[in-house]
Amino acid sequence: MDAERDVMDVDVLFVGGGIASLSGALHLSNLIKAHNSKGEGKKLDEVMIAILEKGAYPGAHGISGAIMDPGAFKELIPDFLEKGAPLEGEVKKESIYFLTKNFKFKSPITPPPLNNHGNYVISMSRMNQWMAGIVEENGVNIFAGFSGTEILYDDNDRVIGVRTGDKGIDAKGDRKSNYEPGIDLHAKITVFGEGSRGNLTKGLIDHFSLDKDRIPPGFELGVKEVWEIKEGKIQPGEVIHTMGYPLKSNTFGGGFIYGMKNNMVCLGHLTSLDYADPFIDPHREFQKFKLHPMISELLKDGKLVQYGAKTAPVGGFFSVPKMSFPGGLIIGDSANLFNSQKIKGINIVMRSGMLAAQTIFECLINNDFSVAKLSGYEKTMAGCKEVKDLYKVRNFHQAMTRGLYFGMTISGMQWILGGSVIGERLSADPDHSHMKKPMDIYGTDAPSDEAIGDIKYDGKLTFDKETDVYYSGTTHEEAQPAHLKIKDLDICYTKCAENYHNPCVRFCPASVYEIEIDEATGKKTMKLNFSNCVHCKTCDVKDPYENITWVPPEGGGGPKYTMM
Ligand SMILES: Cc1cc2nc3c(=O)[nH]c(=O)nc-3n(C[C@H](O)[C@H](O)[C@H](O)COP(=O)(O)OP(=O)(O)OC[C@H]3O[C@@H](n4cnc5c(N)ncnc54)[C@H](O)[C@@H]3O)c2cc1C
């Protein structure tokens, strides 16, 4: 039986409360305030702007590196220092190392894309929480703890808002005593800022074929920890990037170590999800990264404080979909706006939020919400510095998928020549299609633990996934349907097991997927520990049979990040 649902009308709805949406909502409310205070033209009275966020509070699901290029931030909040923006430190010292298992080689120069002088080290979750306060002071409504689960279209195929998820549904799909139907949020303009691999955005892109003529998006999984370490080992704002160990040269990725205030340091490791080896486990790669003498020495006598993981969209310029459609716009990581050569998304996603706000403001002033008016956003985006910079490195990710050394050569040439090396556009295949059989990689179908690179976790420097998940603060209501939807379990037990040994067990950084084998019968069962899920979306990207779809769980579930 269909539930009676409340309908709530707002003028502008941002789906997802990350930095892109917060910047958009803040800029829009500032533009409206400035317009109304000028007293020229018709006043924009009581424009209702709302942000929907699935995390329990703004910033709960905010995780990044993070070095922030403050270009857009300074324009948006010029008095950010007086307002007490949570900055961990200005970057004044940075270094790059190439690592082998036991040695390090310091790069004599910092390549221009990785020059971070003048940027700031921040914690994304803290920054989001702080910005949310400013946004709310400006009159924007933030509905935290509610997931958008369905896009609402009118009879003319125009997006008119989203439906939020029902609460109080048990594991079998039946209503519990605390059942609350989700509500329909209707808006004149709906802005999708759901971050990397947004689940509604994915459907939206398909619905309007917004990715026609684009290359498939590519992703990296970042696994990160924050540690408290002994005083004086690293300064707030100090930046170290690494390449090489623990990854082999056929897998792209690298490590980062950023100094924070109060003897805290954050460190993480990115693994490109176009890898071929089904035995790769990005969480384990990160743990191995910490075993390198340079890093184990830094962390010696320290303690783990927080853990998290998330994908970053690295496909680049050619993977950016059309960002306007009837009824709305796409901003931020949901539009794959990420400069993977610089390892930066924050500045460009803030810019996208602000330019979306500019277009929305013009729509409101002219009372014109047509597709033609909305597409103004794409035009201003095409002209902004951040997108022009993205264009200059348009083949970076595709080159890197062809191997580290080839990629570095091509990207160096690209940098010098302004982007076009080996043609205007290198092709790309979706990440899930890169997986190879063990035989093709190891010459055997059952490689040893040593060949795979397995390690033992000591619980002091290296942690297993369950322990790490505990440090992410992740919780979910247990009595609800699993939010990881496996289309065909037979594929897991047959093709996927035979060809790839169920790589979901390894690529998930939160131990959500477990294959249990009955000792007596040998029968396999997939156990879904969905309450461990840190919402990174790797399974949605990397399953070789595209057999897993990530949908949001009951609102408020997931990590509770405070310093990621
Ligand atoms: C490991 C890692 C390191 C990085 N390092 C850097 C760096 O050093 N410098 C840099 O500039 N960039 C870095 N980035 C990229 C940067 O963090 C992102 O580009 C930026 O945070 C994206 O912001 P966003 O608002 O688009 O998305 P997000 O920050 O992902 O925010 C999206 C929000 O939407 C919410 N949401 C999603 N779906 C729904 C739904 N259906 N209903 C309700 N809410 C929903 C999510 O909970 C989330 O809070 C890094 C990224 C990663 C993963």
Side-chain angles (χ1 to χ4, degrees), residues 323-351:
M323 295 182 287
S324 63
F325 54 86
L329 305 171
I330 310 177
I331 60 172
D333 272 11
S334 284
N336 303 327
L337 292 165
F338 183 90
N339 187 324
S340 64
Q341 188 171 44
K342 289 186 172 175
I343 332 174
K344 285 205 177 45
I346 299 169
N347 189 37
I348 190 169
V349 309
M350 289 185 81
R351 178 69 65 204

Side-chain angles (χ1 to χ4, degrees), residues 7-143:
V7 176
M8 182 174 178
D9 286 302
V10 302
D11 293 287
V12 182
L13 173 65
F14 288 85
V15 183
I19 194 99
S21 292
L22 291 164
S23 306
L26 181 58
H27 193 49
L28 180 59
S29 54
N30 283 341
L31 288 170
I32 293 170
K33 255 207 258 176
H35 167 81
N36 286 347
S37 65
K38 260 200 238 154
E40 290 166 16
K42 195 172 164 272
K43 264 194 168 188
L44 285 173
D45 282 330
E46 291 173 23
V47 174
M48 182 152 169
I49 307 169
I51 298 180
L52 190 66
E53 168 54 48
K54 66 177 162 60
Y57 49 87
H61 294 179
I63 164 170
S64 183
I67 302 174
M68 178 177 75
D69 169 344
F73 185 67
K74 282 182 174 168
E75 284 174 41
L76 186 62
I77 313 176
D79 53 350
F80 64 97
L81 288 177
E82 294 80 357
K83 284 202 158 97
L87 308 171
E88 296 296 330
E90 188 178 337
V91 182
K92 293 190 175 140
K93 184 176 174 198
E94 54 194 317
S95 36
I96 297 173
Y97 289 91
F98 185 85
L99 304 182
T100 62
K101 190 169 178 197
N102 292 309
F103 296 100
K104 60 179 185 186
F105 301 93
K106 189 172 179 185
S107 165
I109 54 147
T110 303
L114 291 180
N115 182 349
N116 280 297
H117 267 59
N119 292 337
Y120 293 96
V121 170
I122 62 161
S123 145
M124 195 80 255
S125 37
R126 278 192 184 150
M127 180 58 85
N128 283 353
Q129 209 163 355
W130 177 79
M131 286 225 355
I134 298 184
V135 166
E136 279 180 320
E137 274 168 26
N138 254 23
V140 174
N141 296 280
I142 301 185
F143 304 127

Side-chain angles (χ1 to χ4, degrees), residues 310-540:
K310 183 150 185 192
T311 53
V314 293
F317 182 85
F318 294 119
S319 69
V320 176
K322 191 169 184 316
M323 295 182 287
S324 63
F325 54 86
L329 305 171
I330 310 177
I331 60 172
D333 272 11
S334 284
N336 303 327
L337 292 165
F338 183 90
N339 187 324
S340 64
Q341 188 171 44
K342 289 186 172 175
I343 332 174
K344 285 205 177 45
I346 299 169
N347 189 37
I348 190 169
V349 309
M350 289 185 81
R351 178 69 65 204
S352 74
M354 290 164 71
L355 291 179
Q358 180 69 46
T359 295
I360 295 166
F361 174 71
E362 281 156 23
C363 292
L364 291 167
I365 284 282
N366 294 295
N367 199 23
D368 176 356
F369 304 95
S370 63
V371 182
K373 198 80 191 160
L374 284 167
S375 68
Y377 163 57
E378 306 229 42
K379 292 188 195 103
T380 50
M381 278 296 280
C384 79
K385 178 181 179 303
E386 291 79 6
V387 171
K388 284 185 180 156
D389 284 349
L390 193 63
Y391 181 69
K392 283 188 201 150
V393 296
R394 59 194 173 278
N395 286 311
F396 177 80
H397 175 70
Q398 299 95 300
M400 287 300 175
T401 66
R402 287 153 171 88
L404 179 65
Y405 302 120
F406 176 81
M408 278 170 64
T409 311
I410 293 292
S411 68
M413 286 164 69
Q414 268 195 138
W415 185 256
I416 295 161
L417 299 174
S420 58
V421 176
I422 322 184
E424 165 67 6
R425 166 164 152 174
L426 285 175
S427 62
D429 297 315
D431 288 336
H432 69 86
S433 68
H434 287 256
M435 198 84 93
K436 287 190 178 153
K437 295 181 183 171
M439 184 60 87
D440 300 333
I441 292 183
Y442 295 95
T444 164
D445 194 42
S448 64
D449 288 354
E450 199 190 344
I452 291 165
D454 263 348
I455 56 164
K456 295 258 178 299
Y457 302 98
D458 65 8
K460 291 189 183 110
L461 176 64
T462 55
F463 301 94
D464 59 24
K465 291 179 183 175
E466 287 78 5
T467 308
D468 259 335
V469 169
Y470 170 79
Y471 280 91
S472 70
T474 300
T475 52
H476 288 89
E477 165 60 58
E478 298 274 347
Q480 64 170 308
H483 64 280
L484 294 316
K485 306 290 177 199
I486 300 185
K487 275 179 240 162
D488 183 352
L489 271 170
D490 266 356
I491 291 181
C492 307
Y493 304 140
T494 55
K495 282 197 280 193
C496 194
E498 285 152 23
N499 291 331
Y500 305 114
H501 298 248
N502 298 111
C504 57
V505 173
R506 291 171 293 279
F507 60 57
C508 169
S511 228
V512 166
Y513 302 92
E514 217 180 305
I515 301 279
E516 290 184 327
I517 304 177
D518 185 303
E519 278 183 23
T521 62
K523 189 172 176 286
K524 289 180 182 164
T525 315
M526 169 68 80
K527 187 173 165 225
L528 274 182
N529 306 311
F530 72 85
S531 55
N532 281 3
C533 177
V534 292
H535 298 203
C536 72
K537 316 277 180 77
T538 304
C539 52
D540 198 281

